[in-house]
């Protein structure tokens, strides 16, 4: 599953873009079914946006792709390799921007970003410094380099988490709601970063987002997950006029003050 | 039955963690900054309290020994009693108990919160094994620091005994006499056995506390539960290992 070679944003070494295939994935926590027979694939170098109501299993799905959860049934492969095996992570560079950020609280922002390149010895300290500062700059975080994560606001933590992903120069980058806590300009910046990574470096991206603008603006394809099932899969153009009423209601909810939703619950 | 499987699982996962951590030993030199930091943390947090408590343990030993031994005119042997008890048993056990309370609990709390707040997951996706950067430096540090702590416990305990023996009227033994008896009846092997014990305890405590921390599931409440469990398991482990190591070293 390789296509045109990828150049890394920083090192300019060539690596191949990777694809992801999910076949009949089901996941139960105890007897609670979170994912039900989900099947789709993400092509190398594609931007795939995953949308869906809160609690529909999007974060759990991402965890399967990075191998943090094991499927109850079905298979997840990254670049043709089983996602839950440890060797996959050694062979494919992938980065996940956690919904909560998951920054290392005992390290400064700078060390959070520098941890990956230092541990994997991808460059010397001066080159790492350059990479880290550049990633911080892209996300307007220069001032926070020596702060600890506990001193940052929610949106800043999110941006640090994204910067940490960028420094890893991944072949596959997964974002869990990258723009949910950010102001409109910052959201636009993140959207541009995702698109640039794809256009210039062929990074495969899977983005979980509620951001309609992001989804319709840069996605190659959009999947919609509801109650653990993939109810819709198509191009952004197809989503502008969805046929499925559930999808239409989810993407374009009408705010109806005369007949609010919470009142419908009472009857 | 459930508890038995839980215990067996615990032993299994602890051994697995040990093998993983040990397999990264060649990376220790590159991780020397972390190793030194852990040495400092283990030594710095435990040393003062080890010193204070061993002073009092040594004193109490001398006092009790003086009380019982003066009945049959053997009080000049107090020095050897305090010396041997501290070196062979109380020094290492005290140091280990305090290590469990101060360092073991802190390790369990830190790793449990890293687990709960997904930092461990983040490390795994970055292909940086927690056993390598979190467990190995701590294990190496405790191996270096534990004998130091045990020796300090021994020395301070001996001095505590000496001071009490001199200033308690019913005993009144001069330090020279006390230390000459202490030296006469103790061989290097006694001290060495104590240090080996301390090493075994310290290593086991750190390993078990790391494993309990890394296997935490759930939310903030489970962090507290992990800390409690880590300390309780460590204390049980010290007493059980004490028996077996003593027997093995006989
Ligand atoms: N470790 C777990 N144990 C048990 N249930 C879980 C676990 N993780 C997630 N769940 C359940 O799985 C469901 C899906 O969770 P998930 O975090 O994937 O939702 P989501 O789609 O990411 O929602 P949001 O948009 O709010 O982030 C939820 O009902 C949640 O309660
Ligand atoms: Mg989520």
């Amino acid at each position: 599953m390789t296509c045109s070679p990828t150049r890394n944003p920083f090192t300019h070494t060539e690596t191949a873009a990777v694809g992801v295939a999910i076949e009949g994935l089901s996941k139960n926590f105890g007897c609670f079914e979170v994912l039900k027979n989900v099947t789709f694939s993400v092509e190398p170098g594609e931007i795939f946006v995953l949308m869906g109501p809160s609690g529909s299993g999007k974060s759990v799905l991402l965890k399967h792709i990075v191998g943090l959860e094991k499927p109850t049934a079905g298979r997840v492969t990254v670049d043709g390799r089983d996602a839950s095996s440890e060797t996959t992570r050694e062979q494919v560079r992938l980065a996940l921007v956690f919904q909560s950020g998951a920054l290392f609280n005992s390290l400064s922002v700078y060390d959070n970003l520098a941890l990956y390149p230092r541990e994997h010895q991808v460059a010397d300290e001066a080159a790492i410094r350059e990479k880290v500062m550049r990633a911080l700059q892209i996300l307007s975080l220069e001032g926070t380099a020596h702060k600890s994560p506990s001193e940052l606001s929610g949106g800043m933590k999110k941006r640090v988490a994204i910067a940490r992903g960028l420094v890893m120069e991944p072949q596959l980058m997964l974002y869990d709601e990258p723009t949910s806590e950010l102001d409109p300009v910052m959201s636009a910046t993140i959207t541009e970063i995702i698109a640039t990574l794809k256009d210039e470096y062929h990074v495969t991206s899977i983005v979980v987002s509620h951001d309609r603008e992001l989804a319709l603006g840069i996605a190659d394809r959009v999947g919609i997950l509801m109650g653990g099932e993939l109810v819709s899969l198509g191009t952004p153009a197809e989503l502008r006029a969805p046929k499925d009423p559930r999808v239409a209601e989810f993407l374009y909810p009408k705010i109806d003050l005369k007949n609010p939703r919470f009142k419908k619950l009472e009857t | 039955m459930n508890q038995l499987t839980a215990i067996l699982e615990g032993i299994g996962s602890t051994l697995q963690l040990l093998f993983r951590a040990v397999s990264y030993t060649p990376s220790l030199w590159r991780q020397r900054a972390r190793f030194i930091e852990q040495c400092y943390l283990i030594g710095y947090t435990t040393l003062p309290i080890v010193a204070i408590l061993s002073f009092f343990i040594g004193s109490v030993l001398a006092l009790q020994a003086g009380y019982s031994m003066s009945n049959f005119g053997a009080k000049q042997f107090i020095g050897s009693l305090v010396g041997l008890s501290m070196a062979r048993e109380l020094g290492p056990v005290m140091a280990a108990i305090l290590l469990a309370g101060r360092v073991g609990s802190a390790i369990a709390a830190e790793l449990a919160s890293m687990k709960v707040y997904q930092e461990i997951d983040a490390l795994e996706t970055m292909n940086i094994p927690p056993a390598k950067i979190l467990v190995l430096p701590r294990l190496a540090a405790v191996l270096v620091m534990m004998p130091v702590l045990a020796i300090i416990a021994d020395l301070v305990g001996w001095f505590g005994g000496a001071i009490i023996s001199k200033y308690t009227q019913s005993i009144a033994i001069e330090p020279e006499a006390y230390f000459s008896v202490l030296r006469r009846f103790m061989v290097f092997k006694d001290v060495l056995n104590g240090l080996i014990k301390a090493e075994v305890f310290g290593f086991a405590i750190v390993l078990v506390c790391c494993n309990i921390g890394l296997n935490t599931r759930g939310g903030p409440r489970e962090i507290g539960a992990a800390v409690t469990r880590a300390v309780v398991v460590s204390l049980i482990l010290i007493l059980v290992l004490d028996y077996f190591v003593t027997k093995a070293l006989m």
Side-chain angles (χ1 to χ4, degrees), chain A residues 137-172:
Chain A
Q137 213 172 5
I138 292 174
L139 291 153
S140 348
L141 286 164
E142 302 97 317
T144 63
H146 296 290
K147 288 194 174 157
S148 122
S150 60
E151 296 171 82
L152 304 180
S153 74
M156 286 160 107
K157 281 185 196 157
K158 207 41 153 306
R159 281 184 280 153
V160 173
I162 295 170
R164 186 172 72 181
L166 293 180
V167 170
M168 289 171 67
E169 297 167 5
Q171 294 163 277
L172 168 64

Side-chain angles (χ1 to χ4, degrees), chain A residues 63 66 68 86 89-90 94 98 100 102-105 115-116 118-121 164 168, chain B residues 20 24 30-31 34 110 114 117-128 132-133:
Chain A
K63 282 190 190 158
V66 294
L68 289 172
E86 265 179 51
R89 276 182 229 147
E90 285 163 21
L94 40 81
F98 285 79
S100 61
L103 301 178
F104 305 119
N105 278 305
L115 184 69
Y116 181 88
R118 277 180 186 155
E119 280 306 314
H120 293 278
Q121 292 173 291
R164 186 172 72 181
M168 289 171 67
Chain B
R20 274 182 195 218
Y24 296 111
R30 284 217 310 115
Q31 299 199 61
R34 283 191 196 109
E110 183 176 350
M114 287 184 78
Y117 295 112
Q118 294 189 311
E119 293 179 35
I120 301 290
D121 287 352
L123 281 178
E124 269 166 18
T125 62
M126 295 168 114
N127 193 24
I128 302 174
K132 176 178 162 191
I133 71 162

